[in-house]
Amino acid sequence: MAALTRLSKPTFSSSMASLLRRSLSSSAMASEPNPNFQSHHSSFSRNTNLVRKDPKDRNVQWVFLGCPGVGKGTYASRLCKLLDVPHIATGDLVREELASAGPFAQQLSEIVNQGKLVSDEIIINLLSKRLEAGDAKGESGFILDGFPRTINQAEILEEVIDIDLVVNLKLREDVLMEKCLGRRICGQCGKNFNVASINVKGENGHPAIIMPPLLPPAHCMSKLVTRSDDVEEVVAERLKIYNEKSQPVENFYRSRGKLLEFDLPGGIPESWPKLLQVLNLDYEDKQCAA
C-alpha cells in the first residue's frame, strides 16, 4: 500500500449521491450564478446524514484539477491503477452520454462543440449516476478528474464528502495548445494518443519542455480520429473559460490546505516519478506503476 496519510472521511453512499443530484435545480448553470444556491446548501446540510468510516476502511478520495489537455486523465488513471481506486472523469461521462443518446445528449453536443462549460445540473446528474453505480459494485475511494470545475460544484461536493487531496496540474498555455491539437482517439479501441512532438526552448524564466508523441500501436494508426472540440478556436475558448472559472476553485481548496500545485516538467517519463515523489509514494509503488 502506498505511503499516504489518510484522514477520516465520509463514504459516498448511493443515498448521498441521490442527495447530490437533488441539490441543484434545473436552472443551476455553471456559467451563471444561481441566486437560490445558498438556500439549496442550507436544506441540503440539514437533510444529509453522513456515515463516517475509519481511514483504514476506505481508500483515497482525491481530485485532479488542470486546464483541458494538461494530462489529468493520464496521471489520474496511472495513480488509480497504483492505488486500486476508480478513475472518474467527467469528460468521459459527458462523452458516454453523447454516445448513448441520453436525455442530455442534444444539449451536450451544442455545449461541447462551442467549447463551453457543461452546466452544473448536467454534470451533477452524470456524476451522481456514476457514484451510485460504483457504490452498488462496492467501490472504495476514487480520483475525480475534471470535477469540480466551478465554486458551486466544489461547495456542493463538500456537503456530501470530504476530499483528501486536490492535485492541480500546471503547464504553459502554448504547450497546452499543442497538446490539445495533437490529441487522437482510436476509433476502434477508444484509447487516447497524442501525435504532437513538443520541444519548447526555455526562455523568460520558463524551463525547456520536451514531450515526445504518445503514438498508438500499428494496428490503431489507421483508425485515429480527432475529437470535434480539438480545433484551435475551440481549444482557445476552453482554455479562456477554464482560466476564468478555475481561480475560485483553486482558492477554495487552498484555503482548506488541500491544494497541491504541480508544474509538469516535461512528458510522462520525466513528470511521473516527480509526481510520485511529491505524493510521498514509496519506491515499490513507483515500480508497480511504471
Side-chain angles (χ1 to χ4, degrees), residues 4-19:
L4 294 170
T5 301
R6 299 177 187 173
L7 303 177
S8 182
K9 310 293 178 186
T11 58
F12 208 130
S13 67
S14 58
S15 62
M16 281 183 272
S18 298
L19 283 168

Side-chain angles (χ1 to χ4, degrees), residues 224-287:
L224 295 184
V225 295
T226 303
R227 282 170 36 175
S228 61
D229 56 336
D230 279 343
V231 294
E232 188 166 355
E233 56 272 22
V234 174
V235 171
E237 179 67 12
R238 288 166 63 204
L239 293 175
K240 174 178 175 289
I241 293 174
Y242 180 84
N243 288 329
E244 291 171 353
K245 298 284 186 181
S246 65
Q247 196 62 49
V249 178
E250 292 172 13
N251 289 338
F252 179 88
Y253 288 114
R254 186 179 292 112
S255 69
R256 286 154 174 76
K258 296 181 179 181
L259 186 70
L260 171 65
E261 300 195 281
F262 182 75
D263 289 286
L264 292 166
I268 295 172
E270 187 176 3
S271 298
W272 176 241
K274 292 181 179 180
L275 178 60
L276 292 175
Q277 184 179 13
V278 300
L279 291 173
N280 195 30
L281 293 171
D282 62 38
Y283 182 75
E284 290 185 3
D285 285 328
K286 294 180 188 178
Q287 293 297 99

Side-chain angles (χ1 to χ4, degrees), residues 37-48:
F37 187 73
Q38 188 60 46
S39 63
H40 283 299
H41 267 270
S42 300
S43 61
F44 187 56
S45 299
R46 289 195 301 269
N47 295 327
T48 302

Side-chain angles (χ1 to χ4, degrees), residues 182-195 214-227:
R183 292 194 297 191
R184 300 291 186 272
I185 301 174
C186 176
Q188 181 171 324
C189 71
K191 291 184 178 179
N192 293 287
F193 304 97
N194 201 302
V195 299
L214 181 61
L215 298 175
H219 62 273
C220 290
M221 187 65 75
S222 63
K223 304 175 182 68
L224 295 184
V225 295
T226 303
R227 282 170 36 175

Side-chain angles (χ1 to χ4, degrees), residues 127-139:
L127 180 60
S128 296
K129 287 193 292 184
R130 171 62 183 84
L131 290 169
E132 287 176 354
D135 182 65
K137 293 189 294 184
E139 290 178 347

